[in-house]
Amino acid sequence: MDDGFLGPEVYGDTIADLYDDWFSGSDRQVAIDAAADFLHASAGAGPALELGIGTGRIALPLAARGTKVTGIDASARMTARLREKPGGSDIHVKVADFAEIGFPVESFGLVYVVFNTFCVLPDQEAQVRCFKAVADVLRPGGSFVMENFVPDLTRFDRGQRVEVERILGDVTHLHAALHDPLAQRVRSRRLVVGPGGVRTFPVELRYAWPSELDLMGRLAGLTLAERWAGWTREPFTGSSPFHVSVWRKP
């Protein structure tokens, strides 16, 4: 590992032109709808704030259900894709690092972050700071909802992992990663190899255990209210690979 993460905008700026093709296809629509239903039940008419709103994969269906949505994202290219979509121009988006939210206090009934996006914050300090910023902008009784993976360190052999993710026609997707257990960081690259050459897409994460997230919440004055294994409220167990957690502000 060299020092420092890439800038918070690098992932989005690199993947913006392909993001929806890879992560918003028909095979993911059931999960997207379940997430939007869960969040709408939490927010009602809103307003709601999405951290890392990207191309609006969740924000647009949530807004279509009647929730007023605001977003923040570090990547101008990702948010430009959002604004091109039907309804995208109706969502106010701030282009900034969501570790420093910067909205007025007690502005939102719901703040949410999905698809492991919280872990793009590069270290524990930034993650603690984000929880505090979320607590500041939540109204009393408001909720912070997070979808995140449960770390699985068995994926790594001697601090590394290389795998074939998919082969589509004459295009191969490879994934290479390095793991730093002391900093709880994973630095990875998706390599897409095809007739046109090789493209590289960086993903850099600082993972956090569910119990660690709960402590961050308590430090910010939030209390864990719910934890599920998925958006349809499947029970969370020791073998669950993901969690949907809800912290509330008194």
Side-chain angles (χ1 to χ4, degrees):
M1 293 273 188
D2 54 22
D3 55 336
F5 266 21
L6 296 174
E9 77 288 349
V10 172
Y11 170 75
D13 284 353
T14 304
I15 203 172
D17 60 331
L18 293 168
Y19 185 87
D20 287 326
D21 292 338
W22 288 355
F23 301 117
S24 299
S26 58
D27 59 323
R28 297 178 181 263
Q29 194 57 51
V30 171
I32 289 171
D33 287 340
D37 288 341
F38 186 107
L39 294 167
H40 180 61
S42 300
L49 172 65
E50 179 170 358
L51 309 182
I53 193 171
T55 65
R57 183 175 66 100
I58 300 297
L60 289 171
L62 178 58
R65 285 160 170 76
T67 298
K68 180 178 174 59
V69 180
T70 295
I72 182 169
D73 199 285
S75 170
R77 292 195 65 206
M78 290 283 271
T79 59
R81 296 298 296 267
L82 165 62
R83 294 188 179 104
E84 293 170 356
K85 298 178 180 180
S89 60
D90 297 329
I91 296 177
H92 172 64
V93 179
K94 178 179 179 180
V95 178
D97 181 354
F98 67 75
E100 313 289 348
I101 292 177
F103 284 96
V105 297
E106 298 186 358
S107 300
F108 301 99
L110 171 71
V111 179
Y112 66 95
V113 57
V114 299
F115 205 39
N116 310 319
T117 303
F118 181 79
C119 289
V120 303
L121 297 175
D123 51 41
Q124 188 181 70
E125 180 182 352
Q127 292 174 353
V128 169
R129 198 164 64 245
C130 180
F131 259 91
K132 177 60 169 63
V134 168
D136 287 344
V137 300
L138 277 176
R139 295 172 177 173
S143 298
F144 180 29
V145 178
M146 180 188 300
E147 177 195 27
N148 212 16
F149 65 93
V150 178
D152 178 7
L153 306 190
T154 65
R155 291 168 52 85
F156 300 97
D157 177 16
R158 291 165 295 174
Q160 61 184 305
R161 180 181 178 88
V162 179
E163 63 180 325
V164 179
E165 287 196 331
R166 67 178 93 171
I167 297 176
L168 300 172
D170 55 2
V171 177
T172 302
H173 290 234
L174 305 173
H175 185 261
L178 292 175
H179 174 224
D180 178 354
L182 298 181
Q184 297 179 202
R185 286 180 171 179
V186 177
R187 173 163 290 176
S188 65
R189 300 291 182 267
R190 180 195 294 264
L191 307 174
V192 180
V193 183
V198 179
R199 289 190 67 181
T200 302
F201 300 89
V203 181
E204 302 192 351
L205 304 174
R206 192 272 173 182
Y207 61 83
W209 302 93
S211 57
E212 185 182 6
L213 295 170
D214 293 342
L215 179 57
M216 293 181 193
R218 289 199 298 274
L219 291 172
L222 305 178
T223 302
L224 179 69
E226 305 174 41
R227 174 162 289 137
W228 307 99
W231 292 110
T232 53
R233 291 180 167 81
E234 305 95 319
F236 180 76
T237 71
S239 60
S240 299
F242 298 96
H243 64 97
V244 174
S245 299
V246 181
W247 296 273
R248 291 211 174 94
K249 181 175 181 176

